[in-house]
Amino acid sequence: MDRPQISLDFAPELHLFVSAPRRAGRTALRTDGTSTLGHVVESLGVPLTEVGALLVDGRPVPDGYVPVDADHVTIEAVARPQPSLAPPRFLLDVHLGTLARRLRLLGVDAAYENPDIGDAALAARSAAEQRVMLSRDRGLLRRRELWAGAYVYSHRPAEQLRDVLSRFAPPLAPWTRCTTCNGTLRTVTKTSVREQLRDGTERSYDAFAQCTECGQAYWRGAHHARLDAIVTDAVREFGGVPG
Ligand SMILES: [Zn+2]
């Protein structure tokens, strides 16, 4: 069988996924003549969740297109913000616990399980609950069962949060969700959560909330200064009610 020779040019945003020679510009590749372009791109290390348009000689093609000899392929990065999955709900892999808590702090639905339930179970849950799988694991993002997925580009939680908020633009509703379990919070009286309060808390604060799932009590206090800063920064940049 003929093995077509094609050329590939990856968008700069995708360069971290491909080998160094492919970051320099257009490079040649001999394909097997039967693989789809989506498979070819994936086999070079790029999760399809991160790919926007695929162009052949400037024309958009689906990822099921089978490249032929002399095709000039351009691989674009996913658009930001991504077309809305409104409102997006997320599922985070086991390495993203801090990001999960920060999303919840902002009222974003962010499911997370620790210990690790494994890639197959995560992918099945993404499909069953229509959640966007957030991960830094390319193998997980390649799983066909996923409802939707996104690579998280940074190791640092602050940058991870900006990455997700800028990409999916979820509506923010700070202080409405339990950072421990992702349950929603309801406003409660001080009396009903008194037994969970430390000395001093009861005297100092009047605004209390409780998780409808796990019962955890929340109140606004000085020890929340760091969390307040995360909320203030996110709302300033991405909108929403500070709470
Ligand atoms: Zn809870």
Side-chain angles (χ1 to χ4, degrees), residues 17-232:
F17 299 114
V18 296
S19 64
R22 299 219 179 265
R23 294 171 198 159
R26 192 163 283 284
T27 55
L29 179 76
R30 213 169 261 291
T31 69
D32 61 11
T34 57
S35 292
T36 65
L37 189 52
H39 180 84
V40 169
V41 167
E42 216 171 40
S43 69
L44 293 171
V46 184
L48 293 183
T49 57
E50 306 314 299
V51 172
L54 292 168
L55 307 174
V56 171
D57 299 314
R59 293 175 293 113
V61 296
D63 56 11
Y65 171 81
V66 177
V68 297
D69 200 48
D71 275 352
H72 290 276
V73 180
T74 301
I75 301 103
E76 297 190 338
V78 72
R80 286 179 182 250
Q82 222 173 331
S84 181
L85 310 160
R89 309 195 308 154
F90 299 98
L91 174 60
L92 285 78
D93 92 6
V94 71
H95 305 293
L96 298 175
T98 301
L99 177 60
R101 286 190 295 279
R102 291 188 183 192
L103 287 168
R104 292 167 179 174
L105 176 68
L106 296 168
V108 177
D109 187 340
Y112 169 78
E113 291 183 60
N114 194 6
D116 196 356
I117 59 173
D119 287 4
L122 283 169
R125 185 170 181 194
S126 161
E129 299 179 7
Q130 300 195 332
R131 291 181 180 274
V132 181
M133 183 79 234
L134 299 179
S135 182
R136 290 181 47 75
D137 177 348
R138 288 187 255 178
L140 175 54
L141 294 176
R142 285 178 71 155
R143 296 191 79 101
R144 292 285 174 257
E145 315 93 284
L146 288 180
W147 180 70
Y151 186 79
V152 174
Y153 284 79
S154 177
H155 289 282
R156 300 180 54 225
E159 290 172 8
Q160 292 173 343
L161 186 64
R162 295 189 72 252
D163 180 4
V164 174
L165 297 182
S166 65
R167 179 162 175 176
F168 294 100
L172 304 186
W175 313 106
T176 61
R177 197 171 282 275
C178 179
T179 55
T180 303
C181 83
N182 198 41
T184 53
L185 301 186
R186 64 190 166 100
T187 303
V188 292
T189 62
K190 190 186 292 188
T191 311
S192 64
V193 293
R194 177 165 284 149
E195 62 196 35
Q196 290 190 47
L197 305 182
R198 283 182 229 118
D199 289 347
T201 306
E202 191 178 342
R203 279 195 309 279
S204 309
Y205 306 107
D206 290 311
F208 293 89
Q210 188 171 29
C211 177
T212 56
E213 299 288 327
C214 75
Q216 170 79 45
Y218 288 84
W219 59 91
R220 301 287 294 279
H223 58 291
H224 279 167
R226 193 178 59 83
L227 303 183
D228 269 325
I230 292 171
V231 167
T232 303

